[in-house]
Amino acid sequence: MIETDVIGHIADELYNAETNAYEVDKFVDQFPELDVELAYHIQDRLIEMKCNKENAKISGRKLGLTSKSKQEMMGVHEPSYGVLLDNMQLFEGDPISTKPFIHAKVEPEIAFVFDKEVSGDHITVADILDATAYITPAMEIIDSRYRNFDFTLPDVVADNSSSSRYLISERFYQVNDVDLRLMGMVFKKNGEIVATSAGAAVMGHPARAIAWMANKLKERNQRIQPGEVVLSGALAKAFAIEPGDHFSVSFDGIGALEAAFIE
Ligand code: OOG
Ligand code: MG
């Protein structure tokens, strides 16, 4: 197949898999030309389709595979990024139906909300912190379209880095009030502690992950925009969700966020 057909074909398959909640096999075996660069073109196409068909708008970005726990869990040892759309946002206190999902998992995350455009030649941690309006606890629901979450880096990039839904707390904190590297995190499932971590689990500093993405975006003429939310990537591994489950994430200094799942 010629390249433009591969882009359209894989984007269609992923869109249909998500919309009708079924799994597909990873594409690298079938399309040896699928590399990371081509995968980001597929991701762009998928986002364009979602924006058009669902009348959705870009609300932010996410990083994936930025912590050792996540990299080891998925067997992919480099980070990826993806796009968040306004129709992926859920709100704390609203029970979350598991019906639309294929095999969703939930992850503890930190959200950065920006009030400046992030630009410049070489974007640093300081640039990211300077452009951040506030930070707040977050959870991401990932729902890879691939069978058993089995993918390579190009596959997961094409699949918008497994994005499905996200929720952020509505209590906002200044980056200067905490040490993001040392900020402790406790993640609970049904009242039991299932993971503990600290900000430094994400590439040494969560804002370093975001700086990495901002530099990559620049190469593709894209930028983090004012008002956007960015999830810096899970601080611990992801946990499968069953109806009836309740998860909470608490951070030192920036509070907690809860999510309850129903049928
Ligand atoms: C890829 C997405 C990972 C994170 O926070 O590490 C991710 C996956 O594990 O399916 O969102
Ligand atoms: Mg994530």
Side-chain angles (χ1 to χ4, degrees), residues 185-205:
M185 185 281 297
V186 175
F187 195 47
K188 289 187 186 174
K189 175 184 177 185
N190 302 329
E192 203 185 306
I193 297 173
V194 287
T196 55
S197 187
V202 174
M203 288 170 81
H205 190 306

Side-chain angles (χ1 to χ4, degrees), residues 31-81:
F31 299 97
E33 67 272 47
L34 180 57
D35 60 10
V36 172
E37 204 192 321
L38 184 60
Y40 277 109
H41 289 295
I42 299 169
Q43 185 190 108
D44 286 343
R45 177 69 66 85
L46 181 63
I47 296 304
E48 202 181 286
M49 281 171 64
K50 287 168 78 89
C51 287
N52 291 336
K53 296 192 191 217
E54 297 165 13
N55 196 21
K57 287 198 180 61
I58 295 180
S59 56
R61 311 260 172 189
K62 62 155 286 183
L63 284 113
L65 309 166
T66 51
S67 62
K68 274 273 170 302
S69 346
K70 277 291 312 193
Q71 293 185 350
E72 274 159 22
M73 179 180 190
M74 308 320 295
V76 176
H77 298 275
E78 276 170 83
S80 67
Y81 57 89

Side-chain angles (χ1 to χ4, degrees), residues 231-249:
L231 304 181
S232 61
L235 287 86
K237 69 189 196 93
F239 292 84
I241 300 164
E242 297 295 337
D245 282 344
H246 176 277
F247 288 87
S248 77
V249 60

Side-chain angles (χ1 to χ4, degrees), residues 111-116 127-135 174-175:
F112 288 64
V113 180
F114 285 80
D115 62 357
K116 294 190 193 130
D127 295 329
I128 296 300
L129 297 180
D130 179 56
T132 301
Y134 53 81
I135 54 170
Q174 301 297 315
V175 274

